[in-house]
Amino acid sequence: MKTLTTTQELAAFCEQAAAHPYVTVDTEFLRERTYYSKLCLVQLAYPSDSEDSAVLVDPLVEGLSLDPLLDLFRNPNVVKVFHAARQDLEIFWVESGVFPTPLFDTQVAAMVCGFGEQAGYETLVRKICKQGLDKTSRFTDWTRRPLTQAQQTYALADVTYLRQIYEYLAAELAKTGRSHWVAEELQILTNPATYDIQPEEAWKRVKTRTNSGKFLAVVKELAQFRETHAQTNNVPRNRVIKDDALVELASTKPRTISDLGGSRLLLREARKGVIAEGILAAVQRGIDCPPEKHPKVDKSREKLQVNPALADLLRVLLKSKTESAGVAAKLIAPSSDLDQIAAGERNVPALSGWRYEVFGEDALRLCDGKIALAAKGQTVKVVTL
């Protein structure tokens, strides 16, 4: 196994890779101690039987620049193949402002090709490559050097088998005419908004038991302070204030450092210094927030007049359609979307794009009374009325 430790070595490999139709990519990273993922290793492979066609790249080596890899990511003639690409893409976008294009995600493709919901890499290796994987190194510390032989073997396997998986799935998509389905899904992964976390919206992820405007105003200010502090200092948000402590603070509304000492859930480090000052200032801003600016929970879905019988029929239709098409049901429509359709909502992802082809068109016909469902043996069929 070859590990690239210089920019020149990386540039030479990327030049070779650029002569091929695709390159497989994976990363190992650490995020337990930071807000942003710390890139620890990059694995690359291009289609070839040569031992030099798959390498590890050590981004922790001083002086190594990933610019040659970023240039390869921008190369429109080489498909960049990942499995479950979201976290990998976030790393490159945050650190370099680059998305690999054109992009192929084998997890998305596998769901379209009938491998179930969120098919794991190990499952695809077993079913497509007929091989097993040793996953014992999965949760090791990738910042430590030197890497063990087991770590290197594990990491390289994440791109070597990926070549065969990609070729198999790409052929299946071409055969079934579903390549554009995957392309639609990948537009979300390469949209900067997918990775843009706005501190002022962070309160919406905090679970609370009350929708009181006064209470939520404090929650919003505390969540915004926590997110901003975590981003600025590159520390996990739960190392600043945990969710349960944030809700407690919004309830007790401490005014002084002494008040913070009475919190049961607040971390010791947050009872003094910059974090303590930030908490007190956020609480005060929440208290001072005028009623007309209080945050409001989106209750639109609660007000939906869902027809439960129709929602159940839509679930049966979805199951029937996805089974016959060999597509993961979750990829087309979660249960909440079906409830929205049954309540008369039409601005739902399941009713547009490739989903409309598979399910949405008949879902609307069912809602309009133009079709019915009939059971015949073990199958459910659509009957035109």
Side-chain angles (χ1 to χ4, degrees):
M1 287 174 284
K2 186 174 182 180
T3 299
L4 309 185
T5 57
T6 69
T7 307
Q8 291 74 18
E9 288 177 324
L10 178 59
F13 178 86
C14 290
E15 183 178 354
Q16 291 177 316
H20 295 81
Y22 70 86
V23 60
T24 55
V25 189
D26 191 38
T27 68
E28 304 301 337
F29 55 87
L30 199 65
R31 198 169 190 170
E32 286 78 9
R33 298 189 291 269
T34 56
Y35 183 90
Y36 299 105
S37 296
K38 180 180 178 61
L39 183 62
C40 301
L41 194 69
V42 182
Q43 303 97 281
L44 303 168
Y46 55 78
S48 171
D49 293 330
S50 166
E51 290 184 359
D52 294 334
S53 65
V55 296
L56 306 177
V57 182
D58 191 348
L60 301 185
V61 174
E62 186 176 352
L64 184 143
S65 169
L66 292 179
D67 284 349
L69 177 61
L70 301 179
D71 288 339
L72 181 62
F73 282 173
R74 298 184 186 99
N75 188 328
N77 300 315
V78 182
V79 177
K80 272 63 71 171
V81 181
F82 291 76
H83 179 82
R86 192 189 188 287
Q87 287 185 301
D88 301 306
L89 298 191
E90 182 180 20
I91 291 173
F92 292 116
W93 174 250
V94 170
E95 291 195 359
S96 308
V98 173
F99 284 122
T101 53
L103 172 71
F104 190 96
D105 189 325
T106 55
Q107 185 178 72
V108 176
M111 286 193 282
V112 168
C113 292
F115 284 87
E117 297 178 0
Q118 294 185 331
Y121 183 66
E122 187 176 10
T123 300
L124 297 182
V125 170
R126 185 175 68 252
K127 290 186 175 181
I128 295 175
C129 306
K130 311 302 180 186
Q131 298 290 332
L133 281 181
D134 180 2
K135 306 293 285 186
T136 54
S137 296
R138 183 179 182 184
F139 297 109
T140 56
D141 185 350
W142 292 97
T143 63
R144 298 186 65 179
R145 294 296 185 270
L147 295 174
T148 66
Q149 185 72 22
Q151 284 179 306
Q152 295 177 61
T153 301
Y154 162 82
L156 208 61
D158 279 349
V159 288
T160 50
Y161 292 121
L162 194 55
R163 296 178 291 197
Q164 185 177 345
I165 292 170
Y166 165 67
E167 292 179 4
Y168 175 89
L169 293 175
E172 285 294 304
L173 292 172
K175 187 191 308 181
T176 57
R178 296 179 179 180
S179 297
H180 69 286
W181 295 9
V182 175
E184 281 185 36
E185 295 305 298
L186 297 185
Q187 288 178 5
I188 299 173
L189 290 178
T190 54
N191 183 347
T194 302
Y195 311 97
D196 185 17
I197 300 176
Q198 298 292 334
E200 59 271 20
E201 300 294 321
W203 68 276
K204 295 179 180 178
R205 297 194 304 270
V206 180
K207 294 181 180 180
T208 63
R209 294 183 178 180
T210 175
N211 293 331
S212 160
K214 291 182 179 180
F215 174 77
L216 290 178
V218 182
V219 169
K220 180 179 180 179
E221 292 295 340
L222 285 169
Q224 182 169 343
F225 160 71
R226 177 178 68 173
E227 203 73 27
T228 301
H229 183 88
Q231 290 178 349
T232 302
N233 295 278
N234 197 22
V235 294
R237 61 177 64 90
N238 281 342
R239 294 279 183 94
V240 184
I241 315 170
K242 293 185 178 180
D243 275 10
D244 53 0
L246 191 152
V247 173
E248 179 193 41
L249 293 170
S251 299
T252 58
K253 299 178 180 61
R255 301 293 190 100
T256 66
I257 294 292
S258 178
D259 291 340
L260 291 180
S263 170
R264 297 179 300 109
L265 303 172
L266 195 61
L267 295 171
R268 184 179 302 174
E269 295 80 4
R271 299 169 189 260
K272 57 185 178 181
V274 175
I275 297 179
E277 292 172 3
I279 289 173
L280 296 177
V283 168
Q284 191 60 54
R285 286 195 301 272
I287 293 172
D288 294 340
C289 181
E292 63 271 17
K293 292 187 177 181
H294 284 169
K296 295 179 176 60
V297 175
D298 182 6
K299 295 184 179 181
S300 58
R301 290 198 176 188
E302 295 178 12
K303 296 177 181 178
L304 290 176
Q305 298 298 312
V306 179
N307 181 330
L310 179 56
D312 287 341
L313 285 174
L314 287 168
R315 287 175 174 80
V316 174
L317 176 66
L318 178 63
K319 190 173 190 302
S320 172
K321 288 289 185 178
T322 53
E323 284 182 352
S324 61
V327 183
K330 185 178 179 181
L331 189 61
I332 291 183
S335 184
S336 58
D337 282 8
L338 298 180
D339 287 340
Q340 284 186 277
I341 296 172
E345 292 287 318
R346 294 298 178 259
N347 186 22
V348 179
L351 301 181
S352 64
W354 70 269
R355 292 174 173 81
Y356 180 80
E357 300 175 34
V358 179
F359 169 73
E361 183 177 12
D362 276 344
L364 291 178
R365 293 171 66 203
L366 182 65
C367 293
D368 292 340
K370 295 178 179 178
I371 62 171
L373 302 178
K376 185 175 182 180
Q378 298 295 316
T379 63
V380 173
K381 293 191 174 184
V382 172
V383 179
T384 301
L385 298 177

